Amino acid sequence: MSPHETEALDASTLAGWIGRSETVHDQVGATPVLALAATLDHPAADAPAGTPLPPLWHWLYFLPRHRQSEIGADGHAKRGGFLPPVPLPRRMWAGGRFAFHAPLRVGDAIARTSTIEDVQVKHGRTGALVFVTVRHEVRRNDETAPAIVEHHDIVYRAAQQPGDVPPPPQAAETGAPWQREIVPDDVLLFRYSALTFNGHRIHYDRKYVTEVEGYPGLIVHGPLIATLLMDLLRRQAPAAEVAGFRFKAVRPTFDLHPFRVNGAPSADGKTVRLWAQDHEGWLTMDAVATLR
């Protein structure tokens, strides 16, 4: 790492982004709802005004609007705008926590206020790591109280080096009462990237992801896996009302093999444990939904 990059990774330098805030506005349109429903393989249905969005489907809105000239080599916006200018090349969605206070509905005027809540520099086995936490508050129709509060955890990593050894995998729990197999083909990944206007090349550019970032295949979006976990809950318990959700990405999932999403409701019916596993049975995402 160059002296410039070392300086940029100093915690006191990046801490200057803590407290930065921005607000963007949008409207809940029906077309993205219908498109995601089709992508998740639900039967065709209408989404008239007033239709509530399932949890996490707010990710269909507040899409990035960076000009093409502002896009970096990895397909993301160049560093140093709202997010801190972390020089590490690999950026991943590490996890998130959500409080769902009220549903967003088709036709709602919505606003999202995002604030950089924390920036931490750490050093792991494979080098420097930077963790950024962004708090999003989503409001509908000029209401004072947020309908959704989300904490979004982002991790930046150094480029993979020859000889890097991945952390030991963790076996996923077996015998889940709820299970669904997912085939992460190129079309599924493309459609989700398009719906969320996600230009990150690790999800669609096989040459880039294998030759530049050193992964064996296209990476399945963390938010897509989280959405599939919540979709499993919706399929198995359609009347359930979700009050909160948290997820943590444990291990990358690649498009080379099918993977499975699993769920297990608690005995008291207050929570549902949700997790994803790869074709070898390794845990890739761990989550918990809290019900009202």
Side-chain angles (χ1 to χ4, degrees), residues 169-254:
Q170 177 181 344
E173 183 178 328
T174 60
W178 301 350
Q179 300 182 19
R180 183 180 177 219
E181 184 176 88
I182 307 296
V183 178
D185 60 22
D186 298 47
V187 177
L188 174 64
L189 302 192
F190 165 77
R191 293 176 89 179
Y192 190 77
S193 285
L195 281 168
T196 55
F197 205 43
N198 183 349
H200 199 181
R201 294 170 66 179
I202 62 173
H203 305 304
Y204 61 85
D205 187 336
R206 195 171 304 275
K207 181 178 175 67
Y208 171 84
V209 76
T210 56
E211 296 184 8
V212 177
E213 299 216 10
Y215 293 107
L218 298 177
I219 298 177
V220 182
H221 315 64
L224 173 57
I225 298 174
T227 298
L228 286 164
L229 290 175
M230 291 295 282
D231 187 63
L232 178 68
L233 188 158
R234 181 182 173 211
R235 290 170 184 268
Q236 296 289 336
E241 294 187 19
V242 178
F245 180 66
R246 57 180 173 83
F247 77 93
K248 180 180 179 181
V250 178
R251 182 180 175 89
T253 298
F254 302 102

Side-chain angles (χ1 to χ4, degrees), residues 7 14 44 66 71 74 77 81 96 102 108 127 169 171 174 180 184 192-193 221 223 236 269 291:
E7 173 64 22
L14 294 178
H66 302 97
I71 300 300
D74 63 355
D108 283 348
T174 60
R180 183 180 177 219
Y192 190 77
S193 285
H221 315 64
Q236 296 289 336
L291 308 182

Side-chain angles (χ1 to χ4, degrees), residues 117-131:
E117 196 165 84
D118 193 24
V119 180
Q120 293 189 24
V121 178
K122 298 183 179 181
H123 293 273
R125 294 183 307 104
T126 57
L129 301 168
V130 176
F131 295 88

Side-chain angles (χ1 to χ4, degrees), residues 117-158:
E117 196 165 84
D118 193 24
V119 180
Q120 293 189 24
V121 178
K122 298 183 179 181
H123 293 273
R125 294 183 307 104
T126 57
L129 301 168
V130 176
F131 295 88
V132 178
T133 300
V134 184
R135 176 185 173 95
H136 301 293
E137 294 185 349
V138 180
R139 293 174 171 80
R140 57 183 192 175
N141 304 320
D142 295 322
E143 293 177 352
T144 302
I148 301 170
V149 177
E150 170 184 358
H151 286 84
H152 172 191
D153 298 323
I154 307 166
V155 60
Y156 297 84
R157 300 177 183 273

Side-chain angles (χ1 to χ4, degrees), residues 8-29:
L9 276 176
D10 182 78
S12 61
T13 302
L14 294 178
W17 262 255
I18 296 176
R20 288 196 178 203
S21 183
E22 68 175 13
T23 298
V24 294
H25 299 266
D26 208 338
Q27 185 162 12
V28 181

